Amino acid sequence: MGTEKNTGGARIPFVAEDGVTVQFRVLEQTKFYGVNYLLVTEDEALEEAQVYILKDLSGQESAEAVYEVVEDEEELRAVAGLFEELLEDVDIVADDD
């Protein structure tokens, strides 16, 4: 699971654990307790697009970022709330809601 650290709102390749590469579009990024998070989507054209929150696991000195999809419910709710505040017209709803 890696990509270059230059996000800048562009499309970034994300290599999943199964080796499949997905092109994500970065919608927003934020830092929470010193950890960088990205809000990404595969298809931003849909009104109700599926989004993912990625957590940067790489060190600050690393040239390549290593991200994982946030799955911890408490962490996911906290970071989703931050992204909702940053993107005032966006509501993030969990799949199970």
Side-chain angles (χ1 to χ4, degrees):
M1 294 178 281
T3 185
E4 292 181 21
K5 276 199 171 186
N6 181 9
T7 56
R11 288 203 171 271
I12 60 169
F14 181 83
V15 181
E17 290 178 356
D18 61 3
V20 174
T21 300
V22 178
Q23 292 291 324
F24 281 136
R25 175 104 175 141
V26 178
L27 301 174
E28 187 61 76
Q29 54 187 332
T30 192
K31 188 174 267 193
F32 185 61
Y33 286 105
V35 178
N36 292 319
Y37 291 89
L38 300 178
L39 179 67
V40 299
T41 186
E42 289 180 73
D43 186 4
E44 68 211 67
L46 299 174
E47 186 172 310
E48 293 187 20
Q50 185 164 3
V51 296
Y52 304 92
I53 296 177
L54 305 179
K55 179 179 184 175
D56 187 353
L57 301 177
S58 59
Q60 289 182 335
E61 303 299 318
S62 179
E64 186 173 298
V66 177
Y67 290 94
E68 78 174 9
V69 175
V70 175
E71 294 180 3
D72 177 77
E73 291 293 322
E74 190 172 317
E75 181 181 18
L76 191 57
R77 277 193 299 272
V79 177
L82 288 175
F83 282 124
E84 286 178 337
E85 288 180 25
L86 291 169
L87 302 166
E88 297 171 0
D89 60 342
V90 173
D91 292 319
I92 300 175
V93 180
D95 281 342
D96 59 344
D97 288 353

